[in-house]
Amino acid sequence: KDPLLLRAARGEAVERIPVWMMRQAGRHMQEYRDLIKKYPTFRERSEIHEVSTEISLQPYRRYGTDGVILFSDILTPLPGMGVDFKIEEKTGPKLVPMRTWESVNAMHTIDSEKACPFVGQTLRDLKKEVGSNATVLGFVGCPYTLATYMVEGGSSREYLEIKKMMFTEPELLHAMLAKIADSIGDYGIYQIESGAQVIQVFDSWAGHLSPKDYDIFAAPYQKKVIQKIKSSHPEVPIIIYINKSGALLERMSQSGADIISLDWTVMIEEARKRIGNDIGIQGNLDPAALFAPNEVIKERTEEILRACGGRNHVMNLGHGIEATTSEEKAEFFINTVKNFRF
């Protein structure tokens, strides 16, 4: 029998609503913080497959989550495309800014097995470890969001450099986005063929675009990635997530994804009216709610579960779990969902 989350993601009737948490593998867990002492850099932890497998399994073993997501980063495939990066523990990712035709022309299509063999091995190990008890999730970054890191040279607040390129050299940005889309589609396929049963695509920073610019620079490349994955594996559910996406729900529903992962700024009832009943919903408890008393966590969680009605729903947070969340609160949230019945 296929695992619960996979069946729910397909839209099948299920015995209870499945649950996992974005960023569940990582800093909020003491086990993870202990590993940092031995493996001090993020790339060590994500690119040594035995370590990434162990980290991926920590929340599954601790909480019994229904999803086990690959411990990695959306930037992981970039070196395989000719774009190197480093991640500094306190300041985040750093890249040499790419703002010329020369830098874009130097990019090449990824050979995922050659560039990211550790990703494939981790996914194979996870699938073997959890069997049908949980669903193995892979993930990729969408082209616009990856381009923000490449053009800005790292994280950004205002995204001015990529927006300057958008308005002054749109052909250059389109060329970059097209190259990214080709490789990321292949990378998603590689994850599936290594064991991922569901793929989540993150266009995290597309919510900073105006609707018109979203339609020009984000949506077409989301669709290219999703269509490429679906052309090889139409049976694999795809989830799309965008931070601060309340204004974009209708557009997200046209991406080709099977499930929209909502942030916490939209009520379930409103989302359902806007996207219809044929597409799934993931989410959408505010991660800050996990700092509340248990009775508030229970109340807020069960409100969402009732609003979704038990069909086409994967319970999750509206964004990644905060690093200072206690494991006891995370466990209470997971158990609240697992114990809920209509």
Side-chain angles (χ1 to χ4, degrees), residues 50-327:
E50 296 92 345
V51 182
S52 61
T53 298
E54 172 60 25
I55 294 169
S56 302
L57 288 170
Q58 286 174 351
Y60 167 69
R61 292 170 175 157
R62 175 72 171 80
Y63 308 129
T65 53
D66 296 305
V68 177
I69 190 164
L70 167 73
F71 180 76
S72 187
D73 193 86
I74 61 171
L75 303 184
T76 293
L78 293 190
M81 299 155 59
V83 181
D84 204 8
F85 73 96
K86 59 183 178 180
I87 296 182
E88 298 176 0
E89 292 299 304
K90 293 185 178 180
T91 58
K94 300 293 180 186
L95 300 83
V96 175
M98 297 176 60
R99 300 170 189 170
T100 66
W101 278 103
E102 182 182 14
S103 61
V104 171
N105 289 336
M107 294 171 63
H108 53 78
T109 305
I110 193 170
D111 178 338
S112 297
E113 178 59 45
K114 184 177 179 181
C116 308
F118 45 87
V119 167
Q121 189 59 55
T122 293
L123 288 166
R124 288 189 288 273
D125 291 347
L126 293 176
K127 186 70 165 53
K128 183 178 180 181
E129 177 74 20
V130 304
S132 61
N133 294 317
T135 298
V136 176
L137 297 104
F139 71 92
V140 300
C142 284
Y144 176 77
T145 290
L146 292 175
T148 66
Y149 290 98
M150 293 158 65
V151 175
E152 301 284 341
S155 302
S156 178
R157 288 192 175 189
E158 302 298 333
Y159 302 96
L160 284 179
E161 293 302 328
I162 194 168
K163 289 187 177 185
K164 286 179 191 175
M165 185 182 289
M166 216 185 294
F167 290 120
T168 62
E169 294 187 275
E171 296 85 1
L172 177 57
L173 182 53
H174 280 299
M176 180 186 293
L177 293 167
K179 284 196 166 191
I180 297 170
D182 281 342
S183 284
I184 293 303
D186 288 342
Y187 182 55
I189 292 168
Y190 174 70
Q191 290 189 20
I192 292 166
E193 293 177 350
S194 298
Q197 297 164 292
V198 175
I199 295 287
Q200 180 149 323
V201 301
F202 288 87
D203 213 351
S204 305
W205 311 135
H208 290 262
L209 292 168
S210 71
K212 182 172 183 176
D213 293 324
Y214 178 92
D215 290 343
I216 296 171
F217 295 102
Y221 299 99
Q222 294 167 5
K223 291 176 184 176
K224 282 189 177 185
V225 169
I226 292 170
Q227 286 168 358
K228 191 166 194 178
I229 295 171
K230 286 285 191 180
S231 69
S232 290
H233 295 282
E235 77 287 356
V236 173
I238 294 179
I239 305 167
I240 186 168
Y241 178 82
I242 299 174
N243 195 29
K244 303 295 189 293
S245 59
L248 299 170
L249 298 188
E250 292 86 354
R251 286 171 164 82
M252 293 169 72
S253 72
Q254 300 303 310
S255 66
D258 304 283
I259 297 171
I260 293 177
S261 189
L262 300 175
D263 72 14
W264 66 90
T265 63
V266 182
M267 297 289 287
I268 296 292
E269 297 87 345
E270 178 194 346
R272 200 35 97 199
K273 286 178 185 175
R274 291 171 58 189
I275 65 175
N277 294 316
D278 295 333
I279 194 163
I281 284 175
Q282 179 173 269
N284 65 331
L285 184 71
D286 185 343
L290 298 188
F291 294 92
N294 285 354
E295 59 268 23
V296 175
I297 297 173
K298 186 173 188 291
E299 176 188 354
R300 294 294 185 93
T301 299
E302 291 186 347
E303 282 176 0
I304 293 167
L305 297 171
R306 289 191 197 93
C308 273
R311 190 72 183 264
N312 277 9
H313 184 208
V314 174
M315 188 63 189
N316 206 316
L317 305 175
H319 193 37
I321 186 170
E322 293 291 337
T324 54
T325 307
S326 75
E327 293 181 39

